[in-house]
Amino acid sequence: MAPALRSRNFRLFWIGQSVSTMGTFLQVVAESWLIYQLTGSTLWLGVLGVVGLLPVIPIAFLGGALADRVPRRKLIMVTQMGLLVQAAVFGVLVATDNISVWSIIVLDFVMGAFYAIDQPARQAFLPELVTEEDLPNAIALNSAVFQISRVLGQAAAGVLIATIGAGGTMLLNAATFLAPVVALALIRVQDVRADSGAGSLGAALSEGVVSLYRRPTLLGTISLMVTVGGLPLAISLMMPAFAEEVVGTDALGLGLLLTAGAVGAVLSTVVVTRIHEGQRGRAVFLSSLLLPLTMIAFSSSGWLPVACFILLLAGLIQSVLHAESTTLLQMGVPDRVRGRVMSLYGMLIIGVPKLSGMLIGGLAESIGLPLTIALSGVLGLLYVLGLHLLMPSVRRQA
């Protein structure tokens, strides 16, 4: 099921990233909880999501160009150390009761800037850790562990906030960044400059865009992931409000809601490892079709057990969609532009859901959160059906 884990280098990388990613999502939930406690506004929850997006737009593609021009291992170590410092400052401010809405905004902006550089470098680093034969499995495992760590981190955050407080949760996140730093130091690869195939930085950026533009089927797959696949992320930004206003629960109930998604993400790893190469396009189509339906069902789930069950299904489906979309993209582009293509992909899968989260937060202020979530699901379903009528090749791709 996991041949890529036979590689010592990949095992170290995979474990280190699992720990730090889980910690990051501890902070994401703690930030949302703090903002909602300070403002009581779903609109501010959406604003917080957009703040993390702002540095991604100008920096992400530059990060991709760097990942194709400098040693990727060293670049990742720098970004992980920067994220450690950011999380430690955040934790100290919260623990000493010196936190405010605007300090949260600034620190979230800094985190977004580091991740804009980190994400494409991590994605492009995978081929240096495994053989070409094991690369698809490494991509699938990397995608799956992101989803599992995301939802497990969110689930644990509810419990940790209720027990050790938001400040303690932030400091715990800072400690998790030691895992990838140590892992990267132990990985045995030759630090060489990647062959970007382009001279100037401007030419490198242009080549990445052109490379993806010439592959319309991959563009269609990306669009499914960033729109439909981003729905759970956009709606998760509203989860503190949904837990309190719709379900009528507290931080522990919020943890249960997010734990349900974690179970679904864990189950998805079994599904992903059994999807053969020729079935990836169909898996993307089916999961993108089912995911909006789960969001529509979730919108009317005012009882905690029902909401948890629906989130379990959504976590499984969204994780399959993410893993298969990423695999198709990684295998469909040449290595010399991989960093730039993955930076564009990362910019979109981070940016679109966060922009959607702000829109959802603002609309929820007017028509209510349940109706807003249902409307989002309906629009997502219409997009999937429309895309597959116009681009049937997305469903047939291998």
Side-chain angles (χ1 to χ4, degrees):
M1 288 179 59
L5 291 177
R6 294 176 299 196
S7 165
R8 173 185 176 275
N9 285 341
F10 180 74
R11 282 198 311 273
L12 287 169
F13 180 78
W14 190 72
I15 293 170
Q17 294 302 317
S18 300
V19 174
S20 69
T21 302
M22 190 178 302
T24 296
F25 285 103
L26 291 178
Q27 177 169 316
V28 169
V29 176
E31 285 179 344
S32 298
W33 182 260
L34 283 168
I35 282 284
Y36 192 66
Q37 294 304 305
L38 289 171
T39 67
S41 168
T42 55
L43 179 59
W44 270 105
L45 289 171
V47 170
L48 178 64
V50 172
V51 167
L53 165 66
L54 293 177
V56 173
I57 297 173
I59 297 176
F61 215 49
L62 176 61
L66 286 173
D68 286 337
R69 297 168 72 90
V70 302
R72 291 161 180 165
R73 185 179 72 98
K74 291 182 178 179
L75 181 58
I76 300 168
M77 289 188 75
V78 170
T79 58
Q80 295 292 301
M81 289 297 298
L83 287 164
L84 187 156
V85 173
Q86 181 269 352
V89 171
F90 209 147
V92 170
L93 288 177
V94 176
T96 58
D97 201 25
N98 288 310
I99 200 69
S100 67
V101 171
W102 291 109
S103 56
I104 293 174
I105 296 297
V106 171
L107 286 166
D108 198 63
F109 182 93
V110 172
M111 182 174 71
F114 277 115
Y115 270 115
I117 300 173
D118 180 78
Q119 187 271 341
R122 280 190 289 117
Q123 295 282 357
F125 189 47
L126 290 180
E128 299 181 33
L129 302 175
V130 296
T131 63
E132 184 176 353
E133 178 184 2
D134 289 340
L135 181 58
N137 185 248
I139 294 168
L141 286 173
N142 196 52
S143 300
V145 82
F146 174 84
Q147 297 302 316
I148 294 170
S149 297
R150 175 179 66 85
V151 192
L152 287 177
Q154 289 176 329
V159 177
L160 290 170
I161 292 170
T163 53
I164 65 175
T169 303
M170 299 288 191
L171 291 173
L172 181 60
N173 170 46
T176 64
F177 286 106
L178 293 173
V181 171
V182 172
L184 287 163
L186 294 174
I187 287 175
R188 298 167 186 164
V189 294
Q190 186 177 3
D191 289 323
V192 296
R193 294 178 181 271
D195 180 15
S196 68
S200 68
L201 183 59
L205 295 175
S206 176
E207 185 181 10
V209 174
V210 171
S211 177
L212 192 55
Y213 178 76
R214 290 173 177 170
R215 295 167 171 83
T217 300
L218 289 180
L219 281 175
T221 300
I222 291 174
S223 74
L224 286 176
M225 185 58 218
V226 302
T227 54
V228 177
L231 277 176
L233 177 57
I235 292 170
S236 72
L237 297 172
M238 304 296 113
M239 201 61 74
F242 190 90
E244 184 172 310
E245 297 176 8
V246 181
V247 181
T249 187
D250 55 11
L252 289 175
L254 173 62
L256 288 174
L257 287 169
L258 295 171
T259 299
V263 174
V266 171
L267 293 175
S268 76
T269 60
V270 179
V271 177
V272 167
T273 54
R274 283 169 168 74
I275 295 175
H276 300 297
E277 183 176 350
Q279 300 173 329
R280 290 183 184 130
R282 294 184 182 91
V284 168
F285 170 73
L286 183 60
S287 55
S288 63
L289 194 63
L290 292 175
L291 194 56
L293 295 175
T294 65
M295 294 296 98
I296 295 170
F298 178 69
S299 67
S300 59
S301 59
W303 189 35
L304 185 60
V306 173
C308 287
F309 177 73
I310 295 172
L311 286 176
L312 182 149
L313 293 178
L316 188 154
I317 296 167
Q318 197 270 349
S319 296
V320 171
L321 175 58
H322 183 274
E324 296 310 305
S325 298
T326 306
T327 301
L328 287 170
L329 183 59
Q330 285 259 32
M331 299 300 293
V333 297
D335 182 66
R336 64 189 180 88
V337 297
R338 182 172 282 116
R340 283 159 284 174
V341 170
M342 296 312 296
S343 70
L344 180 60
Y345 179 55
M347 180 174 65
L348 291 171
I349 64 173
I350 293 172
V352 172
K354 288 191 173 184
L355 283 173
S356 301
M358 187 178 70
L359 294 174
I360 288 172
L363 187 59
E365 295 275 336
S366 301
I367 67 173
L369 192 52
L371 182 56
T372 302
I373 294 173
L375 180 61
S376 301
V378 170
L379 292 175
L381 185 60
L382 291 174
Y383 181 81
V384 174
L385 295 174
L387 180 68
H388 284 285
L389 285 174
L390 295 173
M391 294 185 66
S393 60
V394 174
R395 178 160 49 115
R396 294 194 302 265
Q397 67 184 329

